[in-house]
């Protein structure tokens, strides 16, 4: 369980870095793009210097596919936040863990027990509770908003499923090479998006993205290592729910955000759900 714990901590740190960037008002597409470009360059340099550089059709196929889903998920979520409230978008983003769990059982016949199913069901309830708006928050409704939120759910779920694909593609030993091409693809597509928007690129946004990218190179490497050891039916519910739990507690004690009663109940329920899934 050591790697699950480490993966949770690094995923939580990644969330906090982006939350800090958002609070400072930095332009998310530039930060995200700089993050992926830096990740790619850092891993590429490491692989060349250590003599572990490798590339073949399988690595390219998996890396490029995941890179497309990664940048699509991040940009779609950023866009969704401008249309809908934070709570429904974040909830959809978090609940997307259901997709890799379900697809893992269906496509790769990953093991799942009755207690794990109960734990996953409780995790869903906990995630919904922990991502509720305060009573005064503004909500937007309508078909367009629902479709946007559904797309966030699907793209993020597909992105996480693709991460699991690395293991079943037999690329655990080459996971850093795959990760480098993930960053390269996401960085190139993100750059095209930023240039098309024709918005001035701020030096501060790029610098923050570089810092996050260096951190993310380590965080995603740990994620792929953990996914090489644990089935998605354990990894995604445990890490996904744990990160949201830590995020809520950190928001309450560090960011001084009010933790509503439903969120407090969700924290308690999440702990119980994690125990069942493990």
């Amino acid at each position: 369980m050591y790697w699950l714990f480490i993966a949770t901590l690094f995923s939580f740190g990644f969330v906090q870095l982006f939350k800090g960037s958002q609070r400072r008002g930095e332009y998310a597409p530039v930060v995200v793009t700089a993050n992926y470009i830096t990740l790619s360059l850092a891993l590429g340099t490491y692989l060349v210097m250590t003599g572990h550089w490798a590339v073949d059709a399988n690595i390219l196929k998996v890396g490029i596919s995941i890179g497309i889903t990664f940048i699509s998920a991040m940009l779609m979520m950023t866009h969704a936040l401008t249309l809908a409230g934070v709570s429904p978008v974040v909830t959809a983003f978090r609940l997307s863990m259901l997709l890799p769990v379900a697809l893992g059982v269906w496509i790769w016949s990953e093991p799942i027990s009755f207690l794990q199913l109960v734990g996953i069901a409780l995790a869903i309830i906990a995630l919904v509770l922990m991502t509720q708006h305060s009573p005064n928050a503004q909500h937007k409704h309508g078909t367009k908003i629902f479709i946007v939120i559904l797309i966030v759910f699907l793209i993020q779920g597909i992105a996480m499923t693709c991460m699991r694909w690395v293991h079943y593609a037999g690329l655990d030993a080459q996971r850093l090479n795959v990760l480098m091409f993930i960053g390269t693809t996401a960085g190139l597509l993100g750059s095209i998006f930023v240039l098309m928007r024709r918005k001035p690129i701020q030096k501060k946004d790029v610098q923050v993205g570089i810092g996050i990218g260096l951190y993310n190179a380590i965080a995603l490497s740990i994620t792929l290592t953990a996914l090489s050891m644990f089935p998605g039916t354990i990894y995604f519910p445990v890490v996904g729910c744990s990160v949201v739990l830590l995020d809520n507690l950190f928001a309450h004690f560090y960011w001084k955000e009010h933790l509503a009663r439903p969120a407090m109940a969700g924290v308690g329920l999440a702990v119980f759900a994690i125990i069942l899934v493990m």
Side-chain angles (χ1 to χ4, degrees), residues 22-277:
Q22 182 185 31
R23 282 173 170 270
R24 292 189 298 270
E26 285 138 9
Y27 186 47
V30 171
V31 174
V32 170
T33 299
N35 149 67
Y36 284 125
I37 292 174
T38 302
L39 179 151
S40 175
L41 292 173
L43 287 177
T45 302
Y46 170 80
L47 290 167
V48 170
M49 291 181 65
T50 58
H52 290 99
W53 170 273
V55 58
D56 58 33
N58 203 25
I59 290 173
L60 285 173
K61 177 179 68 177
V62 176
I64 291 172
S65 298
I66 300 176
I68 292 171
T69 61
F70 266 34
I71 193 65
S72 299
M74 292 298 291
L75 293 178
M76 191 65 216
M77 188 178 75
T78 301
H79 176 64
L81 287 170
T82 66
L83 299 177
V86 173
S87 183
V89 175
V90 172
T91 301
F93 193 82
R94 297 304 184 194
L95 289 181
S96 61
M97 72 167 189
L98 290 175
L99 217 50
V101 171
L103 291 176
V105 173
W106 179 42
I107 299 173
W108 298 301
S109 301
E110 292 197 318
I112 189 166
S113 67
F114 175 74
L115 280 180
Q116 285 178 313
L117 285 172
V118 173
I120 291 170
L122 293 178
I124 295 168
I125 298 171
L127 287 172
V128 173
L129 290 173
M130 288 189 292
T131 49
Q132 290 298 300
H133 264 307
S134 64
N136 297 323
Q138 296 293 320
H139 292 266
K140 294 183 179 180
H141 301 279
T143 304
K144 181 180 179 181
I145 301 302
F146 172 77
I147 292 174
V148 168
I149 291 173
L150 178 61
I151 292 174
V152 169
F153 171 84
L154 292 174
I155 294 180
Q156 178 61 17
I158 291 171
M160 288 191 289
T161 303
C162 286
M163 287 287 281
R164 187 68 182 130
W165 181 25
V166 174
H167 172 70
Y168 287 105
L171 293 172
D172 285 338
Q174 291 83 37
R175 57 184 175 272
L176 293 185
N177 288 278
V178 174
L179 190 52
M180 188 205 69
F181 283 106
I182 291 173
T184 301
T185 303
L188 287 174
L189 293 177
S191 298
I192 293 172
F193 176 84
V194 169
L195 291 174
M196 288 177 63
R197 295 297 298 270
R198 297 183 179 180
K199 184 173 181 178
I201 298 175
Q202 302 296 325
K203 181 179 179 181
K204 181 180 68 171
D205 298 346
V206 175
Q207 290 174 334
V208 170
I210 291 172
I212 293 177
L214 293 173
Y215 179 92
N216 203 18
I218 299 172
L220 285 178
S221 299
I222 291 172
T223 294
L224 287 177
T225 299
L227 281 170
S228 71
M229 299 178 178
F230 297 93
T233 47
I234 290 179
Y235 177 86
F236 292 111
V238 170
V239 175
C241 209
S242 297
V243 169
V244 179
L245 189 159
L246 292 173
D247 184 39
N248 274 269
L249 293 176
F250 197 73
H252 179 71
F253 291 106
Y254 182 80
W255 296 114
K256 304 303 180 183
E257 295 178 3
H258 174 64
L259 197 60
R261 287 184 179 180
M264 293 175 65
V267 168
L269 191 59
V271 174
F272 186 55
I274 292 168
I275 293 172
L276 289 179
V277 172

Side-chain angles (χ1 to χ4, degrees), residues 15-26:
V15 170
Q16 297 311 309
L17 287 174
F18 262 107
K19 179 176 282 191
S21 173
Q22 182 185 31
R23 282 173 170 270
R24 292 189 298 270
E26 285 138 9

